[in-house]
Amino acid sequence: MNTCLYQKHIIGLLATGGPFSYWLWEYLSGYLRNSQELLKVMRTIDDRIVHELNTTVPTASFAGKIDASQTCKQLYESLMEAHASRDRVIKNCIAQTSAVVKHLREEREKNLDDLTLLKQLRKEQTKLKWMQSELNVEEVVNDRSWKVFNERCRIHFKPPKNE
């Protein structure tokens, strides 16, 4: 399985939600050194959108050789899928980590002298704050991608009204 296909498969599993996706997130986060690398992989389409548009959406002189409306439609669908996937992954991880933090807080109240528990609680709280900040990063990344997409594709493709 090539790397891109493998990454797409993993991202698909992460996007399904539920406890398994949280476990997979935790496992891959350790494997990739941190969750930021995982999100970087998931944001590949957004990072490469300018290149993608430059190589697939024709300028006026090449307009007859490529079906720009189909290319823009496919890119639109890919962006929608990637953005929704990342949103689900981040929100699912926030929910799971919030539950862990709540549980650790309850345990901490029962045993105030347990320093290991306090350390774990702080670690999980830090992770939760980082994940919540990633939602803001997502907004910026998504806005940038849609701006570039609309600049190049607005005359070739009109997205459905409901999205």
Side-chain angles (χ1 to χ4, degrees), residues 15-49:
T16 60
F20 178 72
S21 65
Y22 179 73
W23 174 85
L24 186 59
W25 175 272
E26 288 291 307
Y27 174 78
L28 290 174
S29 295
Y31 179 73
L32 294 172
R33 295 197 190 109
N34 62 46
S35 303
Q36 290 170 324
E37 288 182 39
L38 184 57
L39 281 173
K40 183 178 178 183
V41 169
M42 293 179 75
R43 289 179 177 139
T44 302
I45 188 170
D46 294 275
D47 293 341
R48 296 184 179 166
I49 189 167

PDB file of all heavy atoms in Angstrom, residues 15-49:
ATOM      1  N   ALA A  15     -11.780   9.425  11.178  1.00  0.00           N
ATOM      2  CA  ALA A  15     -12.966  10.252  10.977  1.00  0.00           C
ATOM      3  C   ALA A  15     -14.260   9.545  11.366  1.00  0.00           C
ATOM      4  O   ALA A  15     -15.284  10.192  11.524  1.00  0.00           O
ATOM      5  CB  ALA A  15     -13.044  10.707   9.522  1.00  0.00           C
ATOM      6  N   THR A  16     -14.208   8.225  11.558  1.00  0.00           N
ATOM      7  CA  THR A  16     -15.433   7.508  11.897  1.00  0.00           C
ATOM      8  C   THR A  16     -15.937   7.830  13.287  1.00  0.00           C
ATOM      9  O   THR A  16     -17.111   7.673  13.573  1.00  0.00           O
ATOM     10  CB  THR A  16     -15.227   5.976  11.783  1.00  0.00           C
ATOM     11  OG1 THR A  16     -14.194   5.592  12.685  1.00  0.00           O
ATOM     12  CG2 THR A  16     -14.916   5.564  10.374  1.00  0.00           C
ATOM     13  N   GLY A  17     -15.040   8.274  14.153  1.00  0.00           N
ATOM     14  CA  GLY A  17     -15.447   8.611  15.515  1.00  0.00           C
ATOM     15  C   GLY A  17     -15.452   7.392  16.414  1.00  0.00           C
ATOM     16  O   GLY A  17     -15.075   6.302  16.021  1.00  0.00           O
ATOM     17  N   GLY A  18     -15.872   7.586  17.628  1.00  0.00           N
ATOM     18  CA  GLY A  18     -15.956   6.489  18.579  1.00  0.00           C
ATOM     19  C   GLY A  18     -14.644   6.207  19.289  1.00  0.00           C
ATOM     20  O   GLY A  18     -13.618   6.798  18.990  1.00  0.00           O
ATOM     21  N   PRO A  19     -14.683   5.289  20.244  1.00  0.00           N
ATOM     22  CA  PRO A  19     -13.509   4.984  21.062  1.00  0.00           C
ATOM     23  C   PRO A  19     -12.331   4.473  20.241  1.00  0.00           C
ATOM     24  O   PRO A  19     -11.194   4.754  20.554  1.00  0.00           O
ATOM     25  CB  PRO A  19     -14.003   3.906  22.024  1.00  0.00           C
ATOM     26  CG  PRO A  19     -15.474   3.954  21.972  1.00  0.00           C
ATOM     27  CD  PRO A  19     -15.856   4.554  20.656  1.00  0.00           C
ATOM     28  N   PHE A  20     -12.591   3.696  19.184  1.00  0.00           N
ATOM     29  CA  PHE A  20     -11.492   3.175  18.388  1.00  0.00           C
ATOM     30  C   PHE A  20     -10.706   4.300  17.739  1.00  0.00           C
ATOM     31  O   PHE A  20      -9.477   4.265  17.710  1.00  0.00           O
ATOM     32  CB  PHE A  20     -12.009   2.210  17.311  1.00  0.00           C
ATOM     33  CG  PHE A  20     -10.899   1.696  16.427  1.00  0.00           C
ATOM     34  CD1 PHE A  20      -9.982   0.783  16.917  1.00  0.00           C
ATOM     35  CD2 PHE A  20     -10.766   2.154  15.130  1.00  0.00           C
ATOM     36  CE1 PHE A  20      -8.948   0.323  16.117  1.00  0.00           C
ATOM     37  CE2 PHE A  20      -9.742   1.705  14.331  1.00  0.00           C
ATOM     38  CZ  PHE A  20      -8.829   0.782  14.824  1.00  0.00           C
ATOM     39  N   SER A  21     -11.387   5.321  17.234  1.00  0.00           N
ATOM     40  CA  SER A  21     -10.665   6.418  16.585  1.00  0.00           C
ATOM     41  C   SER A  21      -9.830   7.184  17.607  1.00  0.00           C
ATOM     42  O   SER A  21      -8.743   7.643  17.292  1.00  0.00           O
ATOM     43  CB  SER A  21     -11.618   7.365  15.853  1.00  0.00           C
ATOM     44  OG  SER A  21     -12.457   8.024  16.751  1.00  0.00           O
ATOM     45  N   TYR A  22     -10.338   7.290  18.841  1.00  0.00           N
ATOM     46  CA  TYR A  22      -9.551   7.955  19.882  1.00  0.00           C
ATOM     47  C   TYR A  22      -8.301   7.137  20.191  1.00  0.00           C
ATOM     48  O   TYR A  22      -7.199   7.661  20.296  1.00  0.00           O
ATOM     49  CB  TYR A  22     -10.383   8.140  21.153  1.00  0.00           C
ATOM     50  CG  TYR A  22      -9.623   8.793  22.280  1.00  0.00           C
ATOM     51  CD1 TYR A  22      -9.326  10.149  22.235  1.00  0.00           C
ATOM     52  CD2 TYR A  22      -9.189   8.056  23.370  1.00  0.00           C
ATOM     53  CE1 TYR A  22      -8.613  10.758  23.258  1.00  0.00           C
ATOM     54  CE2 TYR A  22      -8.488   8.659  24.393  1.00  0.00           C
ATOM     55  CZ  TYR A  22      -8.210  10.005  24.330  1.00  0.00           C
ATOM     56  OH  TYR A  22      -7.502  10.603  25.338  1.00  0.00           O
ATOM     57  N   TRP A  23      -8.448   5.821  20.317  1.00  0.00           N
ATOM     58  CA  TRP A  23      -7.300   4.960  20.565  1.00  0.00           C
ATOM     59  C   TRP A  23      -6.306   5.055  19.416  1.00  0.00           C
ATOM     60  O   TRP A  23      -5.097   5.153  19.637  1.00  0.00           O
ATOM     61  CB  TRP A  23      -7.756   3.512  20.751  1.00  0.00           C
ATOM     62  CG  TRP A  23      -6.607   2.567  20.860  1.00  0.00           C
ATOM     63  CD1 TRP A  23      -5.918   2.260  21.989  1.00  0.00           C
ATOM     64  CD2 TRP A  23      -5.990   1.851  19.798  1.00  0.00           C
ATOM     65  NE1 TRP A  23      -4.908   1.386  21.686  1.00  0.00           N
ATOM     66  CE2 TRP A  23      -4.923   1.117  20.345  1.00  0.00           C
ATOM     67  CE3 TRP A  23      -6.236   1.752  18.429  1.00  0.00           C
ATOM     68  CZ2 TRP A  23      -4.108   0.304  19.587  1.00  0.00           C
ATOM     69  CZ3 TRP A  23      -5.415   0.949  17.664  1.00  0.00           C
ATOM     70  CH2 TRP A  23      -4.370   0.231  18.246  1.00  0.00           C
ATOM     71  N   LEU A  24      -6.798   5.022  18.191  1.00  0.00           N
ATOM     72  CA  LEU A  24      -5.935   5.124  17.018  1.00  0.00           C
ATOM     73  C   LEU A  24      -5.207   6.462  17.008  1.00  0.00           C
ATOM     74  O   LEU A  24      -4.015   6.542  16.714  1.00  0.00           O
ATOM     75  CB  LEU A  24      -6.760   4.946  15.734  1.00  0.00           C
ATOM     76  CG  LEU A  24      -6.002   4.896  14.421  1.00  0.00           C
ATOM     77  CD1 LEU A  24      -5.000   3.754  14.421  1.00  0.00           C
ATOM     78  CD2 LEU A  24      -6.971   4.750  13.258  1.00  0.00           C
ATOM     79  N   TRP A  25      -5.923   7.544  17.357  1.00  0.00           N
ATOM     80  CA  TRP A  25      -5.311   8.878  17.445  1.00  0.00           C
ATOM     81  C   TRP A  25      -4.164   8.850  18.455  1.00  0.00           C
ATOM     82  O   TRP A  25      -3.077   9.325  18.197  1.00  0.00           O
ATOM     83  CB  TRP A  25      -6.367   9.892  17.849  1.00  0.00           C
ATOM     84  CG  TRP A  25      -5.844  11.270  18.086  1.00  0.00           C
ATOM     85  CD1 TRP A  25      -5.360  11.774  19.254  1.00  0.00           C
ATOM     86  CD2 TRP A  25      -5.736  12.322  17.140  1.00  0.00           C
ATOM     87  NE1 TRP A  25      -4.970  13.074  19.094  1.00  0.00           N
ATOM     88  CE2 TRP A  25      -5.191  13.435  17.803  1.00  0.00           C
ATOM     89  CE3 TRP A  25      -6.051  12.450  15.792  1.00  0.00           C
ATOM     90  CZ2 TRP A  25      -4.961  14.641  17.174  1.00  0.00           C
ATOM     91  CZ3 TRP A  25      -5.826  13.666  15.161  1.00  0.00           C
ATOM     92  CH2 TRP A  25      -5.287  14.734  15.849  1.00  0.00           C
ATOM     93  N   GLU A  26      -4.439   8.291  19.631  1.00  0.00           N
ATOM     94  CA  GLU A  26      -3.410   8.215  20.674  1.00  0.00           C
ATOM     95  C   GLU A  26      -2.209   7.405  20.205  1.00  0.00           C
ATOM     96  O   GLU A  26      -1.067   7.799  20.394  1.00  0.00           O
ATOM     97  CB  GLU A  26      -3.991   7.574  21.945  1.00  0.00           C
ATOM     98  CG  GLU A  26      -4.953   8.447  22.681  1.00  0.00           C
ATOM     99  CD  GLU A  26      -4.278   9.640  23.325  1.00  0.00           C
ATOM    100  OE1 GLU A  26      -3.304   9.443  24.058  1.00  0.00           O
ATOM    101  OE2 GLU A  26      -4.731  10.770  23.079  1.00  0.00           O
ATOM    102  N   TYR A  27      -2.468   6.274  19.570  1.00  0.00           N
ATOM    103  CA  TYR A  27      -1.392   5.407  19.100  1.00  0.00           C
ATOM    104  C   TYR A  27      -0.554   6.111  18.035  1.00  0.00           C
ATOM    105  O   TYR A  27       0.666   6.146  18.119  1.00  0.00           O
ATOM    106  CB  TYR A  27      -1.971   4.103  18.542  1.00  0.00           C
ATOM    107  CG  TYR A  27      -0.929   3.223  17.908  1.00  0.00           C
ATOM    108  CD1 TYR A  27      -0.080   2.455  18.709  1.00  0.00           C
ATOM    109  CD2 TYR A  27      -0.778   3.168  16.527  1.00  0.00           C
ATOM    110  CE1 TYR A  27       0.889   1.654  18.132  1.00  0.00           C
ATOM    111  CE2 TYR A  27       0.194   2.377  15.952  1.00  0.00           C
ATOM    112  CZ  TYR A  27       1.024   1.612  16.755  1.00  0.00           C
ATOM    113  OH  TYR A  27       1.989   0.831  16.187  1.00  0.00           O
ATOM    114  N   LEU A  28      -1.216   6.676  17.032  1.00  0.00           N
ATOM    115  CA  LEU A  28      -0.492   7.347  15.948  1.00  0.00           C
ATOM    116  C   LEU A  28       0.210   8.604  16.436  1.00  0.00           C
ATOM    117  O   LEU A  28       1.278   8.944  15.947  1.00  0.00           O
ATOM    118  CB  LEU A  28      -1.444   7.688  14.800  1.00  0.00           C
ATOM    119  CG  LEU A  28      -1.943   6.487  14.016  1.00  0.00           C
ATOM    120  CD1 LEU A  28      -2.993   6.929  13.010  1.00  0.00           C
ATOM    121  CD2 LEU A  28      -0.817   5.761  13.333  1.00  0.00           C
ATOM    122  N   SER A  29      -0.380   9.277  17.405  1.00  0.00           N
ATOM    123  CA  SER A  29       0.256  10.469  17.958  1.00  0.00           C
ATOM    124  C   SER A  29       1.602  10.105  18.561  1.00  0.00           C
ATOM    125  O   SER A  29       2.589  10.812  18.375  1.00  0.00           O
ATOM    126  CB  SER A  29      -0.621  11.111  19.024  1.00  0.00           C
ATOM    127  OG  SER A  29      -1.803  11.570  18.441  1.00  0.00           O
ATOM    128  N   GLY A  30       1.659   9.003  19.256  1.00  0.00           N
ATOM    129  CA  GLY A  30       2.928   8.540  19.817  1.00  0.00           C
ATOM    130  C   GLY A  30       3.876   8.098  18.725  1.00  0.00           C
ATOM    131  O   GLY A  30       5.069   8.385  18.756  1.00  0.00           O
ATOM    132  N   TYR A  31       3.343   7.415  17.735  1.00  0.00           N
ATOM    133  CA  TYR A  31       4.170   6.913  16.638  1.00  0.00           C
ATOM    134  C   TYR A  31       4.740   8.059  15.812  1.00  0.00           C
ATOM    135  O   TYR A  31       5.880   8.026  15.385  1.00  0.00           O
ATOM    136  CB  TYR A  31       3.337   5.985  15.763  1.00  0.00           C
ATOM    137  CG  TYR A  31       4.091   5.422  14.588  1.00  0.00           C
ATOM    138  CD1 TYR A  31       5.053   4.438  14.766  1.00  0.00           C
ATOM    139  CD2 TYR A  31       3.834   5.876  13.296  1.00  0.00           C
ATOM    140  CE1 TYR A  31       5.745   3.915  13.701  1.00  0.00           C
ATOM    141  CE2 TYR A  31       4.522   5.357  12.220  1.00  0.00           C
ATOM    142  CZ  TYR A  31       5.477   4.378  12.427  1.00  0.00           C
ATOM    143  OH  TYR A  31       6.162   3.862  11.366  1.00  0.00           O
ATOM    144  N   LEU A  32       3.953   9.068  15.576  1.00  0.00           N
ATOM    145  CA  LEU A  32       4.394  10.203  14.763  1.00  0.00           C
ATOM    146  C   LEU A  32       5.041  11.300  15.605  1.00  0.00           C
ATOM    147  O   LEU A  32       5.257  12.396  15.130  1.00  0.00           O
ATOM    148  CB  LEU A  32       3.207  10.793  13.996  1.00  0.00           C
ATOM    149  CG  LEU A  32       2.605   9.899  12.939  1.00  0.00           C
ATOM    150  CD1 LEU A  32       1.329  10.519  12.393  1.00  0.00           C
ATOM    151  CD2 LEU A  32       3.582   9.631  11.819  1.00  0.00           C
ATOM    152  N   ARG A  33       5.319  10.999  16.841  1.00  0.00           N
ATOM    153  CA  ARG A  33       5.938  11.899  17.817  1.00  0.00           C
ATOM    154  C   ARG A  33       4.934  12.854  18.442  1.00  0.00           C
ATOM    155  O   ARG A  33       5.046  13.200  19.580  1.00  0.00           O
ATOM    156  CB  ARG A  33       7.118  12.668  17.234  1.00  0.00           C
ATOM    157  CG  ARG A  33       8.241  11.765  16.860  1.00  0.00           C
ATOM    158  CD  ARG A  33       9.507  12.554  16.689  1.00  0.00           C
ATOM    159  NE  ARG A  33      10.485  11.671  16.105  1.00  0.00           N
ATOM    160  CZ  ARG A  33      10.920  11.778  14.865  1.00  0.00           C
ATOM    161  NH1 ARG A  33      10.511  12.740  14.094  1.00  0.00           N
ATOM    162  NH2 ARG A  33      11.786  10.924  14.391  1.00  0.00           N
ATOM    163  N   ASN A  34       3.986  13.323  17.691  1.00  0.00           N
ATOM    164  CA  ASN A  34       2.950  14.158  18.298  1.00  0.00           C
ATOM    165  C   ASN A  34       1.766  14.315  17.353  1.00  0.00           C
ATOM    166  O   ASN A  34       1.833  14.019  16.180  1.00  0.00           O
ATOM    167  CB  ASN A  34       3.498  15.527  18.720  1.00  0.00           C
ATOM    168  CG  ASN A  34       4.008  16.345  17.558  1.00  0.00           C
ATOM    169  OD1 ASN A  34       3.346  16.443  16.539  1.00  0.00           O
ATOM    170  ND2 ASN A  34       5.169  16.933  17.695  1.00  0.00           N
ATOM    171  N   SER A  35       0.676  14.775  17.904  1.00  0.00           N
ATOM    172  CA  SER A  35      -0.567  14.912  17.141  1.00  0.00           C
ATOM    173  C   SER A  35      -0.471  15.981  16.069  1.00  0.00           C
ATOM    174  O   SER A  35      -1.195  15.929  15.079  1.00  0.00           O
ATOM    175  CB  SER A  35      -1.709  15.249  18.096  1.00  0.00           C
ATOM    176  OG  SER A  35      -1.809  14.269  19.085  1.00  0.00           O
ATOM    177  N   GLN A  36       0.422  16.939  16.247  1.00  0.00           N
ATOM    178  CA  GLN A  36       0.566  17.991  15.244  1.00  0.00           C
ATOM    179  C   GLN A  36       1.019  17.418  13.913  1.00  0.00           C
ATOM    180  O   GLN A  36       0.562  17.862  12.859  1.00  0.00           O
ATOM    181  CB  GLN A  36       1.543  19.052  15.729  1.00  0.00           C
ATOM    182  CG  GLN A  36       0.976  19.856  16.871  1.00  0.00           C
ATOM    183  CD  GLN A  36       1.997  20.742  17.534  1.00  0.00           C
ATOM    184  OE1 GLN A  36       3.156  20.376  17.659  1.00  0.00           O
ATOM    185  NE2 GLN A  36       1.562  21.903  17.963  1.00  0.00           N
ATOM    186  N   GLU A  37       1.897  16.425  13.942  1.00  0.00           N
ATOM    187  CA  GLU A  37       2.335  15.796  12.697  1.00  0.00           C
ATOM    188  C   GLU A  37       1.172  15.087  12.015  1.00  0.00           C
ATOM    189  O   GLU A  37       1.060  15.115  10.796  1.00  0.00           O
ATOM    190  CB  GLU A  37       3.470  14.812  12.965  1.00  0.00           C
ATOM    191  CG  GLU A  37       4.780  15.489  13.313  1.00  0.00           C
ATOM    192  CD  GLU A  37       5.906  14.491  13.522  1.00  0.00           C
ATOM    193  OE1 GLU A  37       5.970  13.506  12.772  1.00  0.00           O
ATOM    194  OE2 GLU A  37       6.698  14.704  14.438  1.00  0.00           O
ATOM    195  N   LEU A  38       0.329  14.460  12.808  1.00  0.00           N
ATOM    196  CA  LEU A  38      -0.830  13.773  12.247  1.00  0.00           C
ATOM    197  C   LEU A  38      -1.770  14.766  11.567  1.00  0.00           C
ATOM    198  O   LEU A  38      -2.225  14.543  10.447  1.00  0.00           O
ATOM    199  CB  LEU A  38      -1.564  12.996  13.334  1.00  0.00           C
ATOM    200  CG  LEU A  38      -2.742  12.146  12.881  1.00  0.00           C
ATOM    201  CD1 LEU A  38      -2.324  11.137  11.830  1.00  0.00           C
ATOM    202  CD2 LEU A  38      -3.343  11.435  14.075  1.00  0.00           C
ATOM    203  N   LEU A  39      -2.039  15.886  12.222  1.00  0.00           N
ATOM    204  CA  LEU A  39      -2.893  16.904  11.594  1.00  0.00           C
ATOM    205  C   LEU A  39      -2.219  17.495  10.359  1.00  0.00           C
ATOM    206  O   LEU A  39      -2.897  17.825   9.389  1.00  0.00           O
ATOM    207  CB  LEU A  39      -3.245  18.003  12.599  1.00  0.00           C
ATOM    208  CG  LEU A  39      -4.346  17.633  13.581  1.00  0.00           C
ATOM    209  CD1 LEU A  39      -4.505  18.708  14.632  1.00  0.00           C
ATOM    210  CD2 LEU A  39      -5.656  17.380  12.865  1.00  0.00           C
ATOM    211  N   LYS A  40      -0.917  17.610  10.381  1.00  0.00           N
ATOM    212  CA  LYS A  40      -0.202  18.111   9.215  1.00  0.00           C
ATOM    213  C   LYS A  40      -0.435  17.185   8.021  1.00  0.00           C
ATOM    214  O   LYS A  40      -0.693  17.644   6.905  1.00  0.00           O
ATOM    215  CB  LYS A  40       1.296  18.218   9.518  1.00  0.00           C
ATOM    216  CG  LYS A  40       2.101  18.782   8.392  1.00  0.00           C
ATOM    217  CD  LYS A  40       3.569  18.920   8.760  1.00  0.00           C
ATOM    218  CE  LYS A  40       4.356  19.446   7.585  1.00  0.00           C
ATOM    219  NZ  LYS A  40       5.786  19.528   7.882  1.00  0.00           N
ATOM    220  N   VAL A  41      -0.384  15.893   8.266  1.00  0.00           N
ATOM    221  CA  VAL A  41      -0.665  14.925   7.205  1.00  0.00           C
ATOM    222  C   VAL A  41      -2.099  15.084   6.719  1.00  0.00           C
ATOM    223  O   VAL A  41      -2.364  15.078   5.515  1.00  0.00           O
ATOM    224  CB  VAL A  41      -0.417  13.476   7.700  1.00  0.00           C
ATOM    225  CG1 VAL A  41      -0.950  12.452   6.712  1.00  0.00           C
ATOM    226  CG2 VAL A  41       1.069  13.245   7.943  1.00  0.00           C
ATOM    227  N   MET A  42      -3.023  15.272   7.662  1.00  0.00           N
ATOM    228  CA  MET A  42      -4.426  15.416   7.288  1.00  0.00           C
ATOM    229  C   MET A  42      -4.701  16.726   6.549  1.00  0.00           C
ATOM    230  O   MET A  42      -5.691  16.834   5.838  1.00  0.00           O
ATOM    231  CB  MET A  42      -5.308  15.332   8.539  1.00  0.00           C
ATOM    232  CG  MET A  42      -5.307  13.957   9.182  1.00  0.00           C
ATOM    233  SD  MET A  42      -6.322  13.893  10.673  1.00  0.00           S
ATOM    234  CE  MET A  42      -7.959  13.870   9.931  1.00  0.00           C
ATOM    235  N   ARG A  43      -3.833  17.707   6.705  1.00  0.00           N
ATOM    236  CA  ARG A  43      -4.026  19.010   6.052  1.00  0.00           C
ATOM    237  C   ARG A  43      -3.285  19.116   4.721  1.00  0.00           C
ATOM    238  O   ARG A  43      -3.189  20.209   4.153  1.00  0.00           O
ATOM    239  CB  ARG A  43      -3.566  20.126   6.986  1.00  0.00           C
ATOM    240  CG  ARG A  43      -4.500  20.314   8.162  1.00  0.00           C
ATOM    241  CD  ARG A  43      -4.028  21.397   9.096  1.00  0.00           C
ATOM    242  NE  ARG A  43      -4.992  21.591  10.159  1.00  0.00           N
ATOM    243  CZ  ARG A  43      -4.660  21.797  11.424  1.00  0.00           C
ATOM    244  NH1 ARG A  43      -3.401  21.856  11.797  1.00  0.00           N
ATOM    245  NH2 ARG A  43      -5.602  21.958  12.332  1.00  0.00           N
ATOM    246  N   THR A  44      -2.797  18.021   4.198  1.00  0.00           N
ATOM    247  CA  THR A  44      -2.033  18.031   2.953  1.00  0.00           C
ATOM    248  C   THR A  44      -2.803  18.686   1.818  1.00  0.00           C
ATOM    249  O   THR A  44      -2.245  19.491   1.070  1.00  0.00           O
ATOM    250  CB  THR A  44      -1.631  16.594   2.558  1.00  0.00           C
ATOM    251  OG1 THR A  44      -0.864  16.034   3.615  1.00  0.00           O
ATOM    252  CG2 THR A  44      -0.817  16.578   1.279  1.00  0.00           C
ATOM    253  N   ILE A  45      -4.068  18.373   1.665  1.00  0.00           N
ATOM    254  CA  ILE A  45      -4.854  18.944   0.567  1.00  0.00           C
ATOM    255  C   ILE A  45      -4.901  20.461   0.673  1.00  0.00           C
ATOM    256  O   ILE A  45      -4.807  21.170  -0.338  1.00  0.00           O
ATOM    257  CB  ILE A  45      -6.277  18.347   0.495  1.00  0.00           C
ATOM    258  CG1 ILE A  45      -6.976  18.836  -0.786  1.00  0.00           C
ATOM    259  CG2 ILE A  45      -7.072  18.672   1.724  1.00  0.00           C
ATOM    260  CD1 ILE A  45      -8.277  18.135  -1.078  1.00  0.00           C
ATOM    261  N   ASP A  46      -5.021  20.982   1.876  1.00  0.00           N
ATOM    262  CA  ASP A  46      -5.074  22.435   2.057  1.00  0.00           C
ATOM    263  C   ASP A  46      -3.708  23.066   1.782  1.00  0.00           C
ATOM    264  O   ASP A  46      -3.623  24.148   1.217  1.00  0.00           O
ATOM    265  CB  ASP A  46      -5.536  22.776   3.470  1.00  0.00           C
ATOM    266  CG  ASP A  46      -6.967  22.339   3.695  1.00  0.00           C
ATOM    267  OD1 ASP A  46      -7.869  23.113   3.343  1.00  0.00           O
ATOM    268  OD2 ASP A  46      -7.174  21.218   4.189  1.00  0.00           O
ATOM    269  N   ASP A  47      -2.647  22.378   2.174  1.00  0.00           N
ATOM    270  CA  ASP A  47      -1.302  22.906   1.951  1.00  0.00           C
ATOM    271  C   ASP A  47      -0.944  22.946   0.467  1.00  0.00           C
ATOM    272  O   ASP A  47      -0.151  23.771   0.036  1.00  0.00           O
ATOM    273  CB  ASP A  47      -0.261  22.057   2.689  1.00  0.00           C
ATOM    274  CG  ASP A  47      -0.395  22.163   4.192  1.00  0.00           C
ATOM    275  OD1 ASP A  47      -1.016  23.141   4.668  1.00  0.00           O
ATOM    276  OD2 ASP A  47       0.115  21.272   4.897  1.00  0.00           O
ATOM    277  N   ARG A  48      -1.539  22.073  -0.303  1.00  0.00           N
ATOM    278  CA  ARG A  48      -1.181  21.960  -1.725  1.00  0.00           C
ATOM    279  C   ARG A  48      -2.235  22.517  -2.678  1.00  0.00           C
ATOM    280  O   ARG A  48      -2.157  22.296  -3.883  1.00  0.00           O
ATOM    281  CB  ARG A  48      -0.929  20.491  -2.066  1.00  0.00           C
ATOM    282  CG  ARG A  48       0.250  19.941  -1.313  1.00  0.00           C
ATOM    283  CD  ARG A  48       0.536  18.539  -1.717  1.00  0.00           C
ATOM    284  NE  ARG A  48       1.692  18.042  -0.983  1.00  0.00           N
ATOM    285  CZ  ARG A  48       2.033  16.793  -0.915  1.00  0.00           C
ATOM    286  NH1 ARG A  48       1.327  15.882  -1.544  1.00  0.00           N
ATOM    287  NH2 ARG A  48       3.081  16.424  -0.229  1.00  0.00           N
ATOM    288  N   ILE A  49      -3.202  23.246  -2.156  1.00  0.00           N
ATOM    289  CA  ILE A  49      -4.305  23.688  -2.994  1.00  0.00           C
ATOM    290  C   ILE A  49      -3.866  24.629  -4.114  1.00  0.00           C
ATOM    291  O   ILE A  49      -4.340  24.527  -5.237  1.00  0.00           O
ATOM    292  CB  ILE A  49      -5.462  24.306  -2.174  1.00  0.00           C
ATOM    293  CG1 ILE A  49      -6.671  24.532  -3.088  1.00  0.00           C
ATOM    294  CG2 ILE A  49      -5.038  25.575  -1.465  1.00  0.00           C
ATOM    295  CD1 ILE A  49      -7.953  24.833  -2.376  1.00  0.00           C
TER     296      ILE A  49
END
